[in-house]
């Protein structure tokens, strides 16, 4: 494939991706057809099928692209040896979401029978578990709870807050404020966050 063909292919796939996301947010995944997508992207049906087998393949491509980009960005900020919660991974997720808000909304809303949301939670949960485990080992501490449960609970919190934040009307809390709140929850817990003093026992 020549450079020109490669650029054209990327533009076409990008147009199809944008069309799918926009239509799904407007109508819901089940109501969107390939005909709708090619009309919105201004490409022919044959061109669509050159790139994707069906609507499901295009949806999976969107999800995989988001996850791959996020994985690459997180690799630059994750520091398993650090003690505690730095907030950098959470901040990176929020930054990425602000760059692709519609794709994130589609995924986090559970469109596509929820498989994009499950893929996101699985990928983020696996990363969280790896980081928590590495920190425990590096700092020679003993977890009080199962780290898999902790990672899943933590990811569920991030996902719920991120979707709420993306869909909240303006003015909404600043990114830094939301991230700081999530970090403090991780460090101190909900008892502290709601104004109660820690149990002295």
């Amino acid at each position: 494939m020549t450079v020109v063909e490669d650029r054209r292919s990327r533009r076409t796939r990008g147009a199809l991706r944008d069309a799918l996301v926009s239509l799904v947010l407007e109508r819901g995944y089940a109501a969107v057809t390939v005909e709708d997508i090619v009309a919105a992207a201004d490409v022919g049906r044959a061109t669509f099928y050159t790139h994707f087998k069906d609507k499901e393949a295009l949806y999976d491509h969107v999800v995989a692209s988001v996850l791959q980009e996020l994985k690459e960005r997180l690799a630059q900020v994750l520091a398993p040896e650090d003690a505690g919660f730095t907030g950098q991974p959470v901040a990176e997720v929020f930054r990425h979401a602000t760059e692709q808000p519609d794709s994130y909304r589609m995924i986090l809303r559970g469109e596509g029978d929820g498989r994009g949301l499950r893929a996101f939670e699985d990928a983020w949960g696996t990363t969280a578990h790896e980081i928590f485990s590495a920190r425990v080992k590096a700092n020679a501490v003993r977890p009080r709870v199962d780290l898999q449960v902790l990672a899943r609970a933590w990811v569920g919190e991030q996902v719920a807050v991120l979707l709420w934040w993306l869909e909240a009307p303006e003015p909404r809390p600043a990114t830094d404020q939301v991230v700081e709140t999530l970090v403090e929850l991780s460090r101190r817990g909900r008892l502290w966050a709601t104004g109660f003093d820690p149990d002295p026992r």
Side-chain angles (χ1 to χ4, degrees):
M1 180 179 289
T2 67
V3 173
V4 173
E5 289 174 330
D6 190 45
R7 288 175 181 168
R8 185 181 299 120
S9 178
R10 286 200 301 269
R11 284 197 300 269
T12 299
R13 292 167 79 90
L16 291 169
R17 169 180 172 157
D18 292 345
L20 173 71
V21 171
S22 177
L23 289 168
V24 168
L25 291 179
E26 177 187 341
R27 306 177 188 177
Y29 180 81
V32 176
T33 65
V34 170
E35 287 75 14
D36 297 328
I37 296 167
V38 297
D42 194 23
V43 302
R45 283 177 59 88
T47 299
F48 176 92
Y49 288 114
T50 296
H51 294 276
F52 300 103
K53 177 183 176 182
D54 48 29
K55 178 181 76 170
E56 286 69 28
L58 173 56
Y59 172 90
D60 291 341
H61 166 71
V62 174
V63 174
S65 296
V66 169
L67 292 179
Q68 182 59 37
E69 290 174 16
L70 181 58
K71 180 180 179 180
E72 291 170 1
R73 293 175 65 142
L74 287 173
Q76 300 176 25
V77 300
L78 290 174
E81 70 279 3
D82 290 342
F85 295 84
T86 64
Q88 290 183 352
V90 178
E92 197 60 42
V93 172
F94 271 77
R95 279 192 288 267
H96 192 230
T98 60
E99 295 169 9
Q100 300 189 46
D102 289 344
S103 293
Y104 268 82
R105 287 190 189 101
M106 182 186 76
I107 293 169
L108 300 184
R109 283 180 183 178
E111 295 287 358
D113 296 327
R115 69 181 185 277
L117 176 58
R118 290 191 297 273
F120 185 89
E121 290 177 330
D122 287 346
W124 196 207
T126 298
T127 299
H129 183 255
E130 290 172 353
I131 295 301
F132 294 168
S133 298
R135 285 176 177 165
V136 163
K137 183 177 180 180
N139 293 278
V141 296
R142 186 173 186 177
R144 295 188 176 93
V145 299
D146 187 309
L147 291 182
Q148 293 189 55
V149 176
L150 177 62
R152 281 293 175 164
W154 187 78
V155 167
E157 183 176 78
Q158 313 302 311
V159 167
V161 172
L162 179 55
L163 177 59
W164 165 79
W165 185 78
L166 284 170
E167 300 200 321
E170 297 289 352
R172 64 186 182 189
T175 308
D176 291 346
Q177 180 184 348
V178 176
V179 171
E180 182 181 353
T181 298
L182 291 170
V183 171
E184 288 301 306
L185 279 172
S186 293
R187 288 176 176 160
R188 303 171 185 249
R190 289 175 179 78
L191 188 65
W192 169 86
T194 51
F196 292 90
D197 292 328
D199 189 337
R201 291 176 295 176

